[in-house]
Amino acid sequence: MTDNELQQLSIRLGQRLQAEGASVTAAESCTGGWIAKVLTDIAGSSAWFQRGFVTYSNEAKQQMIGVSAAALAEHGAVSEAVVREMAQGALQAAGADYALSVSGIAGPDGGSDEKPVGTVWFGFASAGGEVRAERRRFSGDREAVRRQATAHALQTLLDHLSAK
């Protein structure tokens, strides 16, 4: 996905959130703030995006958004349990209507048989109590994985809002 395509996706998501009078926050690990960057590239985004959390280390996940040490120890940072907790913690900390969370292995190192490079978990939470998670596997180099993860997170929330 090109920078222009990410920008257009961010614009559409922002328009949808603004129409709802809703806000979004992001808790990011492998994307390193890329979601927050593409959202805040949009003029006027402060109406629907007020903060993001770059929680790259396990300590940051625990301190900033309340991810439990137990979930990290039992499942690892790249897991369904952790992205669910990330999304819920970010939602609460930001007081937003929706939260996205992302944790994955962008590479080129760090993969395993169970979690190969390109494995990314996504969490989604809403102030209405919905929490869900999904896993995707992306190909390409580190930048490609991170770019695809950013696009997927934004598109998934947009699809969810459009289906309402």
Side-chain angles (χ1 to χ4, degrees):
M1 180 162 279
T2 67
D3 287 347
N4 186 54
E5 288 169 321
L6 281 173
Q7 181 182 41
Q8 293 306 310
L9 181 56
S10 297
I11 289 169
R12 289 195 310 275
L13 178 58
Q15 289 169 338
R16 184 66 196 203
L17 287 163
Q18 194 156 14
E20 260 192 45
S23 61
V24 66
T25 187
E28 304 182 64
S29 189
C30 69
T31 49
W34 206 333
I35 293 170
K37 184 246 187 277
V38 298
L39 292 178
T40 59
D41 280 348
I42 307 308
S45 58
S46 62
W48 42 267
F49 182 82
Q50 53 175 281
R51 73 183 78 172
F53 304 89
V54 178
T55 56
Y56 205 68
S57 70
N58 287 350
E59 293 77 16
K61 289 174 182 64
Q62 292 173 64
Q63 292 169 2
M64 294 174 70
I65 52 174
V67 173
S68 70
L72 288 161
E74 184 175 343
H75 304 285
V78 180
S79 66
E80 178 178 2
V82 168
V83 295
R84 284 176 171 271
E85 288 191 21
M86 287 173 69
Q88 290 173 297
L91 188 76
Q92 182 177 0
D97 298 296
Y98 300 99
L100 303 169
S101 63
V102 182
S103 188
I105 303 164
D109 303 317
S112 66
D113 289 340
E114 183 182 318
K115 298 176 186 178
V117 169
T119 301
V120 182
W121 274 96
F122 298 88
F124 303 91
S126 72
E130 180 184 10
V131 181
R132 57 192 178 89
E134 62 181 42
R135 185 186 64 183
R136 291 285 183 262
R137 175 99 189 274
F138 300 114
S139 59
D141 63 12
R142 183 176 181 81
E143 181 172 338
V145 169
R146 295 172 74 202
R147 184 179 292 272
Q148 290 170 85
T150 298
H152 181 77
L154 298 176
Q155 186 66 58
T156 300
L157 180 57
L158 181 59
D159 291 346
H160 173 77
L161 294 173
S162 297
K164 291 176 69 177

